[in-house]
Amino acid sequence: MKVLVPVKRVIDPNVRPRVKADGSGVDLANIKMAMNPFCEIAVEEAVKMKEKGLATGEIVLVSIGPAQAQETLRVGLAMGADRGILVQTDVAVEPLAVAKILKAIVDAEKPDVVITGKQAIDDDSNQTGQMLAALLDWPQGTFASGVAKDGDKLSVTREVDGGLQTVSIQLPAVVTTDLRLNEPRFASLPNIMKAKKKPIDTKTPADYGVDVTPRLTIVKVAEPKKREAGEKVADVDALIAKLKSAGAI
Ligand code: AMP
């Protein structure tokens, strides 16, 4: 089984994002970037599949983004992936165009499974994996909290509102990762050194015939409203009285 894992470079989740003064977007100047956490989970799952002997083929990473997305690919290579493809562009590529580029790469690379994150934490779109499955006409197991191989099928446990749902999907397939699928490893120093020698191909969206011109217009980006300070009450009766007077109950 060959695995393709798309990984996105996003703002480091531990950094507090700043909105640009003109409200046109998030200020990315001098901000620490990292691999999208759900993509780390996807890489970890692919590496685990390889370690368990379920994935015997290559693990190929793809990142669509600026030249620095190469660093994101190196992180995944240090975790255990075999090679990377950087589709270099300075445009903020929207999910449909990402899915179209990934489709072209899938057609060329012929993986048995594509594991994407369930969402990128910068745009929170939660669209790419689903759109890719539609473009490929492949089955999809989204929000996976468990993945097991079952002959030429995958058994995917999904986190749904009411609990856990298990679906069986025929390979080739697309899986999107949820938070509880695994705990991504930290790359060891020797593996970071080894990753420097692993191959990364550089391409452009035009190489795949995909127009990445944005279709959406961002009207405004604003900071979330500041939370107002809470108030301590003496007991339950006082709390109920307060809630009643505020019309909350
Ligand atoms: P989204 O649909 O934007 O929330 O992203 C969901 C998943 O699609 C991410 O976790 C990645 O696996 C993949 N993805 C989205 N954008 C990119 C990108 N620019 N490069 C590589 N993978 C991406």
Side-chain angles (χ1 to χ4, degrees), residues 24 31 40 111 137 161 165 172 233 246:
S24 62
I31 210 150
E40 280 187 343
D137 198 19
D161 271 355
Q165 178 192 61
V233 289

Side-chain angles (χ1 to χ4, degrees), residues 58-76:
E58 277 182 308
I59 301 172
V60 182
L61 306 180
V62 181
S63 194
I64 302 159
Q68 298 89 323
Q70 201 173 129
E71 295 157 20
T72 313
L73 290 168
R74 293 276 172 220
V75 171

Side-chain angles (χ1 to χ4, degrees), residues 58 65 67 108 112 137 143 175 179 188 200 208 223 226:
E58 277 182 308
D112 301 282
D137 198 19
F143 312 115
V175 171
L179 200 60
S188 65
I200 294 182
Y208 300 105
E223 296 268 357
K226 289 222 163 35

Side-chain angles (χ1 to χ4, degrees), residues 6-8 36 38-39 62-65 95 98 102 115-120 123-129:
V7 292
K8 188 174 185 186
N36 177 45
F38 293 104
C39 300
V62 181
S63 194
I64 302 159
V98 171
L102 293 176
I115 311 180
T116 75
K118 78 164 176 184
Q119 71 191 53
D123 58 18
D124 273 349
S125 293
N126 182 348
Q127 294 175 349
T128 307

Side-chain angles (χ1 to χ4, degrees), residues 201-249:
D201 258 3
T202 303
K203 301 278 190 187
T204 66
D207 291 335
Y208 300 105
V210 177
D211 176 7
V212 292
T213 313
R215 294 170 173 221
L216 303 175
T217 308
I218 294 175
V219 180
K220 189 179 160 202
V221 177
E223 296 268 357
K225 228 180 128 199
K226 289 222 163 35
R227 280 183 70 172
E228 285 167 22
E231 189 185 327
K232 270 196 179 166
V233 289
D235 51 30
V236 173
D237 290 341
L239 174 64
I240 290 173
K242 276 241 172 247
L243 289 174
K244 273 193 181 150
S245 71
I249 52 171

Side-chain angles (χ1 to χ4, degrees), residues 62 64 87 93-108 127-129 131-136 205 207-213 215:
V62 181
I64 302 159
V87 183
V93 185
E94 292 172 359
L96 180 58
V98 171
K100 286 181 181 171
I101 294 171
L102 293 176
K103 153 109 175 48
I105 294 175
V106 168
D107 289 344
Q127 294 175 349
T128 307
M131 285 177 167
L132 175 63
L135 292 175
L136 289 166
D207 291 335
Y208 300 105
V210 177
D211 176 7
V212 292
T213 313
R215 294 170 173 221

